[in-house]
PDB file of all heavy atoms in Angstrom:
ATOM      1  N   ILE G 349     -47.404-157.212 -29.057  1.00  0.00           N
ATOM      2  CA  ILE G 349     -46.008-156.913 -28.932  1.00  0.00           C
ATOM      3  C   ILE G 349     -45.219-157.201 -30.111  1.00  0.00           C
ATOM      4  O   ILE G 349     -45.610-158.080 -30.944  1.00  0.00           O
ATOM      5  CB  ILE G 349     -45.439-157.716 -27.684  1.00  0.00           C
ATOM      6  CG1 ILE G 349     -45.281-159.159 -27.975  1.00  0.00           C
ATOM      7  CG2 ILE G 349     -46.247-157.497 -26.358  1.00  0.00           C
ATOM      8  CD1 ILE G 349     -44.479-159.905 -26.963  1.00  0.00           C
ATOM      9  N   SER G 350     -44.142-156.572 -30.309  1.00  0.00           N
ATOM     10  CA  SER G 350     -43.310-156.728 -31.533  1.00  0.00           C
ATOM     11  C   SER G 350     -42.489-157.994 -31.426  1.00  0.00           C
ATOM     12  O   SER G 350     -42.071-158.410 -30.301  1.00  0.00           O
ATOM     13  CB  SER G 350     -42.461-155.562 -31.821  1.00  0.00           C
ATOM     14  OG  SER G 350     -41.585-155.245 -30.730  1.00  0.00           O
ATOM     15  N   TRP G 351     -42.197-158.654 -32.549  1.00  0.00           N
ATOM     16  CA  TRP G 351     -41.406-159.851 -32.549  1.00  0.00           C
ATOM     17  C   TRP G 351     -40.701-160.016 -33.899  1.00  0.00           C
ATOM     18  O   TRP G 351     -40.996-159.417 -34.859  1.00  0.00           O
ATOM     19  CB  TRP G 351     -42.285-161.070 -32.343  1.00  0.00           C
ATOM     20  CG  TRP G 351     -43.470-161.262 -33.325  1.00  0.00           C
ATOM     21  CD1 TRP G 351     -44.682-160.588 -33.325  1.00  0.00           C
ATOM     22  CD2 TRP G 351     -43.419-162.094 -34.480  1.00  0.00           C
ATOM     23  NE1 TRP G 351     -45.386-160.897 -34.413  1.00  0.00           N
ATOM     24  CE2 TRP G 351     -44.649-161.829 -35.137  1.00  0.00           C
ATOM     25  CE3 TRP G 351     -42.524-162.899 -35.105  1.00  0.00           C
ATOM     26  CZ2 TRP G 351     -44.994-162.483 -36.316  1.00  0.00           C
ATOM     27  CZ3 TRP G 351     -42.833-163.552 -36.245  1.00  0.00           C
ATOM     28  CH2 TRP G 351     -44.081-163.429 -36.804  1.00  0.00           C
ATOM     29  N   SER G 352     -39.627-160.853 -33.894  1.00  0.00           N
ATOM     30  CA  SER G 352     -38.942-161.172 -35.050  1.00  0.00           C
ATOM     31  C   SER G 352     -38.659-162.653 -35.042  1.00  0.00           C
ATOM     32  O   SER G 352     -38.724-163.264 -34.061  1.00  0.00           O
ATOM     33  CB  SER G 352     -37.580-160.424 -35.128  1.00  0.00           C
ATOM     34  OG  SER G 352     -36.819-160.782 -34.140  1.00  0.00           O
ATOM     35  N   TYR G 353     -38.315-163.163 -36.258  1.00  0.00           N
ATOM     36  CA  TYR G 353     -38.008-164.555 -36.417  1.00  0.00           C
ATOM     37  C   TYR G 353     -36.506-164.747 -36.674  1.00  0.00           C
ATOM     38  O   TYR G 353     -35.921-164.136 -37.581  1.00  0.00           O
ATOM     39  CB  TYR G 353     -38.836-165.197 -37.614  1.00  0.00           C
ATOM     40  CG  TYR G 353     -38.245-166.458 -38.122  1.00  0.00           C
ATOM     41  CD1 TYR G 353     -38.256-167.635 -37.337  1.00  0.00           C
ATOM     42  CD2 TYR G 353     -37.818-166.644 -39.424  1.00  0.00           C
ATOM     43  CE1 TYR G 353     -37.767-168.829 -37.727  1.00  0.00           C
ATOM     44  CE2 TYR G 353     -37.392-167.805 -39.943  1.00  0.00           C
ATOM     45  CZ  TYR G 353     -37.305-168.926 -38.998  1.00  0.00           C
ATOM     46  OH  TYR G 353     -36.790-170.163 -39.476  1.00  0.00           O
ATOM     47  N   LEU G 354     -35.928-165.701 -35.911  1.00  0.00           N
ATOM     48  CA  LEU G 354     -34.511-165.981 -35.979  1.00  0.00           C
ATOM     49  C   LEU G 354     -34.465-167.349 -36.756  1.00  0.00           C
ATOM     50  O   LEU G 354     -34.780-168.375 -36.090  1.00  0.00           O
ATOM     51  CB  LEU G 354     -33.738-165.981 -34.685  1.00  0.00           C
ATOM     52  CG  LEU G 354     -32.283-166.405 -34.737  1.00  0.00           C
ATOM     53  CD1 LEU G 354     -31.428-165.304 -35.467  1.00  0.00           C
ATOM     54  CD2 LEU G 354     -31.753-166.485 -33.319  1.00  0.00           C
ATOM     55  N   PRO G 355     -33.957-167.444 -37.892  1.00  0.00           N
ATOM     56  CA  PRO G 355     -33.853-168.752 -38.665  1.00  0.00           C
ATOM     57  C   PRO G 355     -32.793-169.609 -38.110  1.00  0.00           C
ATOM     58  O   PRO G 355     -31.668-169.780 -38.816  1.00  0.00           O
ATOM     59  CB  PRO G 355     -33.752-168.343 -40.113  1.00  0.00           C
ATOM     60  CG  PRO G 355     -32.933-167.048 -40.015  1.00  0.00           C
ATOM     61  CD  PRO G 355     -33.469-166.321 -38.777  1.00  0.00           C
ATOM     62  N   LYS G 356     -33.003-170.193 -36.891  1.00  0.00           N
ATOM     63  CA  LYS G 356     -31.922-170.982 -36.247  1.00  0.00           C
ATOM     64  C   LYS G 356     -32.580-172.090 -35.441  1.00  0.00           C
ATOM     65  O   LYS G 356     -33.586-171.811 -34.762  1.00  0.00           O
ATOM     66  CB  LYS G 356     -31.065-170.094 -35.343  1.00  0.00           C
ATOM     67  CG  LYS G 356     -30.059-170.826 -34.592  1.00  0.00           C
ATOM     68  CD  LYS G 356     -29.201-169.897 -33.735  1.00  0.00           C
ATOM     69  CE  LYS G 356     -28.128-170.632 -32.876  1.00  0.00           C
ATOM     70  NZ  LYS G 356     -27.124-171.315 -33.772  1.00  0.00           N
ATOM     71  N   VAL G 357     -32.070-173.322 -35.578  1.00  0.00           N
ATOM     72  CA  VAL G 357     -32.581-174.425 -34.738  1.00  0.00           C
ATOM     73  C   VAL G 357     -32.031-174.183 -33.319  1.00  0.00           C
ATOM     74  O   VAL G 357     -30.794-174.291 -33.011  1.00  0.00           O
ATOM     75  CB  VAL G 357     -32.107-175.790 -35.239  1.00  0.00           C
ATOM     76  CG1 VAL G 357     -32.598-176.952 -34.252  1.00  0.00           C
ATOM     77  CG2 VAL G 357     -32.743-176.079 -36.556  1.00  0.00           C
ATOM     78  N   MET G 358     -32.855-173.786 -32.418  1.00  0.00           N
ATOM     79  CA  MET G 358     -32.393-173.318 -31.062  1.00  0.00           C
ATOM     80  C   MET G 358     -32.524-174.411 -30.040  1.00  0.00           C
ATOM     81  O   MET G 358     -31.687-174.492 -29.179  1.00  0.00           O
ATOM     82  CB  MET G 358     -33.253-172.158 -30.636  1.00  0.00           C
ATOM     83  CG  MET G 358     -33.114-170.915 -31.582  1.00  0.00           C
ATOM     84  SD  MET G 358     -34.403-169.646 -31.298  1.00  0.00           S
ATOM     85  CE  MET G 358     -33.893-169.173 -29.619  1.00  0.00           C
ATOM     86  N   VAL G 359     -33.594-175.237 -30.080  1.00  0.00           N
ATOM     87  CA  VAL G 359     -33.890-176.191 -29.059  1.00  0.00           C
ATOM     88  C   VAL G 359     -34.189-177.524 -29.601  1.00  0.00           C
ATOM     89  O   VAL G 359     -34.683-177.667 -30.665  1.00  0.00           O
ATOM     90  CB  VAL G 359     -35.171-175.748 -28.280  1.00  0.00           C
ATOM     91  CG1 VAL G 359     -35.553-176.757 -27.182  1.00  0.00           C
ATOM     92  CG2 VAL G 359     -35.011-174.306 -27.600  1.00  0.00           C
ATOM     93  N   THR G 360     -33.628-178.560 -28.846  1.00  0.00           N
ATOM     94  CA  THR G 360     -33.906-179.985 -29.223  1.00  0.00           C
ATOM     95  C   THR G 360     -34.862-180.478 -28.155  1.00  0.00           C
ATOM     96  O   THR G 360     -34.620-180.350 -27.000  1.00  0.00           O
ATOM     97  CB  THR G 360     -32.659-180.770 -29.209  1.00  0.00           C
ATOM     98  OG1 THR G 360     -31.800-180.307 -30.295  1.00  0.00           O
ATOM     99  CG2 THR G 360     -33.007-182.312 -29.532  1.00  0.00           C
ATOM    100  N   MET G 361     -36.020-181.085 -28.592  1.00  0.00           N
ATOM    101  CA  MET G 361     -37.060-181.527 -27.699  1.00  0.00           C
ATOM    102  C   MET G 361     -37.235-183.025 -27.853  1.00  0.00           C
ATOM    103  O   MET G 361     -37.424-183.501 -28.959  1.00  0.00           O
ATOM    104  CB  MET G 361     -38.345-180.753 -27.902  1.00  0.00           C
ATOM    105  CG  MET G 361     -39.573-181.262 -27.077  1.00  0.00           C
ATOM    106  SD  MET G 361     -41.087-180.303 -27.447  1.00  0.00           S
ATOM    107  CE  MET G 361     -40.753-178.767 -26.607  1.00  0.00           C
ATOM    108  N   ARG G 362     -37.264-183.738 -26.768  1.00  0.00           N
ATOM    109  CA  ARG G 362     -37.575-185.167 -26.795  1.00  0.00           C
ATOM    110  C   ARG G 362     -39.065-185.350 -27.037  1.00  0.00           C
ATOM    111  O   ARG G 362     -39.892-184.639 -26.414  1.00  0.00           O
ATOM    112  CB  ARG G 362     -37.183-185.855 -25.560  1.00  0.00           C
ATOM    113  CG  ARG G 362     -35.659-185.934 -25.313  1.00  0.00           C
ATOM    114  CD  ARG G 362     -35.340-186.474 -23.870  1.00  0.00           C
ATOM    115  NE  ARG G 362     -33.893-186.588 -23.636  1.00  0.00           N
ATOM    116  CZ  ARG G 362     -33.058-185.683 -23.209  1.00  0.00           C
ATOM    117  NH1 ARG G 362     -33.590-184.421 -22.991  1.00  0.00           N
ATOM    118  NH2 ARG G 362     -31.801-185.891 -23.027  1.00  0.00           N
ATOM    119  N   THR G 363     -39.457-186.306 -27.775  1.00  0.00           N
ATOM    120  CA  THR G 363     -40.891-186.700 -27.928  1.00  0.00           C
ATOM    121  C   THR G 363     -41.356-187.261 -26.639  1.00  0.00           C
ATOM    122  O   THR G 363     -40.644-187.737 -25.852  1.00  0.00           O
ATOM    123  CB  THR G 363     -41.135-187.640 -29.053  1.00  0.00           C
ATOM    124  OG1 THR G 363     -40.329-188.832 -28.865  1.00  0.00           O
ATOM    125  CG2 THR G 363     -40.709-187.036 -30.447  1.00  0.00           C
ATOM    126  N   GLY G 364     -42.665-187.145 -26.477  1.00  0.00           N
ATOM    127  CA  GLY G 364     -43.371-187.777 -25.301  1.00  0.00           C
ATOM    128  C   GLY G 364     -43.626-186.757 -24.187  1.00  0.00           C
ATOM    129  O   GLY G 364     -43.816-187.174 -23.000  1.00  0.00           O
ATOM    130  N   GLY G 365     -43.610-185.502 -24.398  1.00  0.00           N
ATOM    131  CA  GLY G 365     -43.783-184.521 -23.335  1.00  0.00           C
ATOM    132  C   GLY G 365     -45.233-184.329 -22.863  1.00  0.00           C
ATOM    133  O   GLY G 365     -46.161-185.185 -23.304  1.00  0.00           O
ATOM    134  N   LEU G 366     -45.492-183.300 -22.140  1.00  0.00           N
ATOM    135  CA  LEU G 366     -46.878-183.097 -21.543  1.00  0.00           C
ATOM    136  C   LEU G 366     -47.944-183.046 -22.568  1.00  0.00           C
ATOM    137  O   LEU G 366     -49.062-183.601 -22.346  1.00  0.00           O
ATOM    138  CB  LEU G 366     -46.804-181.778 -20.737  1.00  0.00           C
ATOM    139  CG  LEU G 366     -48.071-181.420 -19.967  1.00  0.00           C
ATOM    140  CD1 LEU G 366     -48.360-182.436 -18.896  1.00  0.00           C
ATOM    141  CD2 LEU G 366     -47.995-180.039 -19.288  1.00  0.00           C
ATOM    142  N   THR G 367     -47.679-182.485 -23.728  1.00  0.00           N
ATOM    143  CA  THR G 367     -48.751-182.236 -24.680  1.00  0.00           C
ATOM    144  C   THR G 367     -48.664-183.222 -25.865  1.00  0.00           C
ATOM    145  O   THR G 367     -49.329-183.098 -26.858  1.00  0.00           O
ATOM    146  CB  THR G 367     -48.736-180.872 -25.267  1.00  0.00           C
ATOM    147  OG1 THR G 367     -47.431-180.568 -25.878  1.00  0.00           O
ATOM    148  CG2 THR G 367     -48.944-179.760 -24.218  1.00  0.00           C
ATOM    149  N   ASN G 368     -47.871-184.305 -25.644  1.00  0.00           N
ATOM    150  CA  ASN G 368     -47.720-185.308 -26.713  1.00  0.00           C
ATOM    151  C   ASN G 368     -47.951-186.733 -26.189  1.00  0.00           C
ATOM    152  O   ASN G 368     -47.132-187.628 -26.303  1.00  0.00           O
ATOM    153  CB  ASN G 368     -46.297-185.234 -27.257  1.00  0.00           C
ATOM    154  CG  ASN G 368     -46.006-183.965 -28.023  1.00  0.00           C
ATOM    155  OD1 ASN G 368     -46.423-183.798 -29.142  1.00  0.00           O
ATOM    156  ND2 ASN G 368     -45.383-183.018 -27.332  1.00  0.00           N
ATOM    157  N   GLN G 369     -49.003-186.912 -25.387  1.00  0.00           N
ATOM    158  CA  GLN G 369     -49.333-188.167 -24.748  1.00  0.00           C
ATOM    159  C   GLN G 369     -50.594-188.803 -25.219  1.00  0.00           C
ATOM    160  O   GLN G 369     -51.341-189.420 -24.381  1.00  0.00           O
ATOM    161  CB  GLN G 369     -49.354-187.925 -23.195  1.00  0.00           C
ATOM    162  CG  GLN G 369     -48.067-187.386 -22.653  1.00  0.00           C
ATOM    163  CD  GLN G 369     -48.059-187.128 -21.176  1.00  0.00           C
ATOM    164  OE1 GLN G 369     -49.143-187.065 -20.603  1.00  0.00           O
ATOM    165  NE2 GLN G 369     -46.977-186.830 -20.574  1.00  0.00           N
ATOM    166  N   GLY G 370     -50.884-188.805 -26.466  1.00  0.00           N
ATOM    167  CA  GLY G 370     -51.970-189.618 -27.017  1.00  0.00           C
ATOM    168  C   GLY G 370     -53.185-188.771 -27.374  1.00  0.00           C
ATOM    169  O   GLY G 370     -53.249-187.531 -27.107  1.00  0.00           O
ATOM    170  N   ILE G 371     -54.283-189.519 -27.778  1.00  0.00           N
ATOM    171  CA  ILE G 371     -55.469-188.824 -28.294  1.00  0.00           C
ATOM    172  C   ILE G 371     -56.171-188.107 -27.089  1.00  0.00           C
ATOM    173  O   ILE G 371     -56.626-186.891 -27.312  1.00  0.00           O
ATOM    174  CB  ILE G 371     -56.424-189.936 -28.834  1.00  0.00           C
ATOM    175  CG1 ILE G 371     -55.823-190.505 -30.055  1.00  0.00           C
ATOM    176  CG2 ILE G 371     -57.773-189.242 -29.210  1.00  0.00           C
ATOM    177  CD1 ILE G 371     -55.509-189.597 -31.175  1.00  0.00           C
ATOM    178  N   LYS G 372     -56.301-188.732 -25.973  1.00  0.00           N
ATOM    179  CA  LYS G 372     -56.985-188.068 -24.791  1.00  0.00           C
ATOM    180  C   LYS G 372     -56.325-186.784 -24.446  1.00  0.00           C
ATOM    181  O   LYS G 372     -56.960-185.728 -24.124  1.00  0.00           O
ATOM    182  CB  LYS G 372     -57.072-188.943 -23.586  1.00  0.00           C
ATOM    183  CG  LYS G 372     -58.051-190.169 -23.759  1.00  0.00           C
ATOM    184  CD  LYS G 372     -58.104-191.045 -22.501  1.00  0.00           C
ATOM    185  CE  LYS G 372     -59.106-192.184 -22.684  1.00  0.00           C
ATOM    186  NZ  LYS G 372     -59.226-192.972 -21.405  1.00  0.00           N
ATOM    187  N   SER G 373     -54.901-186.776 -24.410  1.00  0.00           N
ATOM    188  CA  SER G 373     -54.259-185.594 -24.122  1.00  0.00           C
ATOM    189  C   SER G 373     -54.484-184.478 -25.170  1.00  0.00           C
ATOM    190  O   SER G 373     -54.634-183.337 -24.857  1.00  0.00           O
ATOM    191  CB  SER G 373     -52.721-185.835 -24.058  1.00  0.00           C
ATOM    192  OG  SER G 373     -51.957-184.671 -23.839  1.00  0.00           O
ATOM    193  N   LYS G 374     -54.566-184.856 -26.524  1.00  0.00           N
ATOM    194  CA  LYS G 374     -54.842-183.944 -27.559  1.00  0.00           C
ATOM    195  C   LYS G 374     -56.129-183.279 -27.409  1.00  0.00           C
ATOM    196  O   LYS G 374     -56.376-182.166 -27.673  1.00  0.00           O
ATOM    197  CB  LYS G 374     -54.697-184.634 -28.897  1.00  0.00           C
ATOM    198  CG  LYS G 374     -53.257-184.943 -29.373  1.00  0.00           C
ATOM    199  CD  LYS G 374     -52.528-183.773 -29.748  1.00  0.00           C
ATOM    200  CE  LYS G 374     -51.163-184.025 -30.510  1.00  0.00           C
ATOM    201  NZ  LYS G 374     -50.212-184.607 -29.508  1.00  0.00           N
ATOM    202  N   ILE G 375     -57.242-184.136 -27.011  1.00  0.00           N
ATOM    203  CA  ILE G 375     -58.531-183.619 -26.816  1.00  0.00           C
ATOM    204  C   ILE G 375     -58.576-182.565 -25.762  1.00  0.00           C
ATOM    205  O   ILE G 375     -59.134-181.467 -25.893  1.00  0.00           O
ATOM    206  CB  ILE G 375     -59.536-184.785 -26.621  1.00  0.00           C
ATOM    207  CG1 ILE G 375     -59.685-185.629 -27.910  1.00  0.00           C
ATOM    208  CG2 ILE G 375     -60.894-184.249 -26.197  1.00  0.00           C
ATOM    209  CD1 ILE G 375     -60.449-186.901 -27.616  1.00  0.00           C
ATOM    210  N   LYS G 376     -57.982-182.903 -24.571  1.00  0.00           N
ATOM    211  CA  LYS G 376     -57.900-182.012 -23.445  1.00  0.00           C
ATOM    212  C   LYS G 376     -57.146-180.690 -23.886  1.00  0.00           C
ATOM    213  O   LYS G 376     -57.587-179.568 -23.502  1.00  0.00           O
ATOM    214  CB  LYS G 376     -57.229-182.653 -22.278  1.00  0.00           C
ATOM    215  CG  LYS G 376     -57.282-181.779 -21.070  1.00  0.00           C
ATOM    216  CD  LYS G 376     -56.635-182.459 -19.859  1.00  0.00           C
ATOM    217  CE  LYS G 376     -56.654-181.571 -18.592  1.00  0.00           C
ATOM    218  NZ  LYS G 376     -56.025-182.237 -17.440  1.00  0.00           N
ATOM    219  N   LEU G 377     -56.053-180.872 -24.529  1.00  0.00           N
ATOM    220  CA  LEU G 377     -55.251-179.691 -24.975  1.00  0.00           C
ATOM    221  C   LEU G 377     -56.083-178.741 -25.853  1.00  0.00           C
ATOM    222  O   LEU G 377     -56.122-177.570 -25.667  1.00  0.00           O
ATOM    223  CB  LEU G 377     -54.020-180.211 -25.743  1.00  0.00           C
ATOM    224  CG  LEU G 377     -53.090-179.221 -26.324  1.00  0.00           C
ATOM    225  CD1 LEU G 377     -51.620-179.676 -26.308  1.00  0.00           C
ATOM    226  CD2 LEU G 377     -53.451-178.875 -27.798  1.00  0.00           C
ATOM    227  N   ASN G 378     -56.818-179.319 -26.849  1.00  0.00           N
ATOM    228  CA  ASN G 378     -57.576-178.499 -27.726  1.00  0.00           C
ATOM    229  C   ASN G 378     -58.802-177.827 -27.048  1.00  0.00           C
ATOM    230  O   ASN G 378     -59.180-176.768 -27.438  1.00  0.00           O
ATOM    231  CB  ASN G 378     -57.956-179.293 -28.954  1.00  0.00           C
ATOM    232  CG  ASN G 378     -56.758-179.492 -29.918  1.00  0.00           C
ATOM    233  OD1 ASN G 378     -56.102-178.597 -30.319  1.00  0.00           O
ATOM    234  ND2 ASN G 378     -56.372-180.685 -30.207  1.00  0.00           N
ATOM    235  N   ARG G 379     -59.352-178.593 -26.059  1.00  0.00           N
ATOM    236  CA  ARG G 379     -60.449-177.920 -25.336  1.00  0.00           C
ATOM    237  C   ARG G 379     -59.819-176.672 -24.624  1.00  0.00           C
ATOM    238  O   ARG G 379     -60.623-175.640 -24.480  1.00  0.00           O
ATOM    239  CB  ARG G 379     -60.990-178.941 -24.266  1.00  0.00           C
ATOM    240  CG  ARG G 379     -61.908-179.976 -24.951  1.00  0.00           C
ATOM    241  CD  ARG G 379     -62.377-181.041 -23.870  1.00  0.00           C
ATOM    242  NE  ARG G 379     -63.279-181.989 -24.470  1.00  0.00           N
ATOM    243  CZ  ARG G 379     -63.618-183.071 -23.836  1.00  0.00           C
ATOM    244  NH1 ARG G 379     -63.147-183.341 -22.614  1.00  0.00           N
ATOM    245  NH2 ARG G 379     -64.434-183.918 -24.436  1.00  0.00           N
ATOM    246  N   GLU G 380     -58.719-176.795 -24.062  1.00  0.00           N
ATOM    247  CA  GLU G 380     -58.163-175.663 -23.352  1.00  0.00           C
ATOM    248  C   GLU G 380     -57.801-174.504 -24.329  1.00  0.00           C
ATOM    249  O   GLU G 380     -57.970-173.327 -24.011  1.00  0.00           O
ATOM    250  CB  GLU G 380     -56.938-176.072 -22.549  1.00  0.00           C
ATOM    251  CG  GLU G 380     -57.173-176.877 -21.309  1.00  0.00           C
ATOM    252  CD  GLU G 380     -56.038-176.989 -20.308  1.00  0.00           C
ATOM    253  OE1 GLU G 380     -54.980-176.373 -20.589  1.00  0.00           O
ATOM    254  OE2 GLU G 380     -56.169-177.679 -19.330  1.00  0.00           O
ATOM    255  N   ILE G 381     -57.285-174.886 -25.474  1.00  0.00           N
ATOM    256  CA  ILE G 381     -56.938-173.853 -26.487  1.00  0.00           C
ATOM    257  C   ILE G 381     -58.150-173.122 -26.943  1.00  0.00           C
ATOM    258  O   ILE G 381     -58.200-171.901 -26.988  1.00  0.00           O
ATOM    259  CB  ILE G 381     -56.364-174.610 -27.713  1.00  0.00           C
ATOM    260  CG1 ILE G 381     -54.881-174.932 -27.377  1.00  0.00           C
ATOM    261  CG2 ILE G 381     -56.366-173.664 -28.980  1.00  0.00           C
ATOM    262  CD1 ILE G 381     -54.153-175.681 -28.445  1.00  0.00           C
ATOM    263  N   ILE G 382     -59.273-173.872 -27.137  1.00  0.00           N
ATOM    264  CA  ILE G 382     -60.599-173.174 -27.548  1.00  0.00           C
ATOM    265  C   ILE G 382     -61.027-172.248 -26.430  1.00  0.00           C
ATOM    266  O   ILE G 382     -61.504-171.178 -26.711  1.00  0.00           O
ATOM    267  CB  ILE G 382     -61.632-174.240 -27.899  1.00  0.00           C
ATOM    268  CG1 ILE G 382     -61.285-174.962 -29.222  1.00  0.00           C
ATOM    269  CG2 ILE G 382     -63.022-173.596 -28.016  1.00  0.00           C
ATOM    270  CD1 ILE G 382     -62.028-176.236 -29.522  1.00  0.00           C
ATOM    271  N   ALA G 383     -60.927-172.736 -25.201  1.00  0.00           N
ATOM    272  CA  ALA G 383     -61.336-171.864 -24.062  1.00  0.00           C
ATOM    273  C   ALA G 383     -60.474-170.572 -24.001  1.00  0.00           C
ATOM    274  O   ALA G 383     -61.081-169.498 -23.789  1.00  0.00           O
ATOM    275  CB  ALA G 383     -61.259-172.647 -22.765  1.00  0.00           C
TER     276      ALA G 383
END
Side-chain angles (χ1 to χ4, degrees):
I349 70 168
S350 58
W351 58 279
S352 64
Y353 163 61
L354 178 67
K356 179 179 178 62
V357 177
M358 300 168 63
V359 177
T360 299
M361 176 179 286
R362 294 173 176 85
T363 56
L366 182 64
T367 59
N368 293 279
Q369 298 177 350
I371 297 298
K372 289 184 178 180
S373 176
K374 285 286 190 294
I375 292 172
K376 183 177 180 181
L377 177 146
N378 285 304
R379 283 175 178 168
E380 287 194 4
I381 284 175
I382 290 171

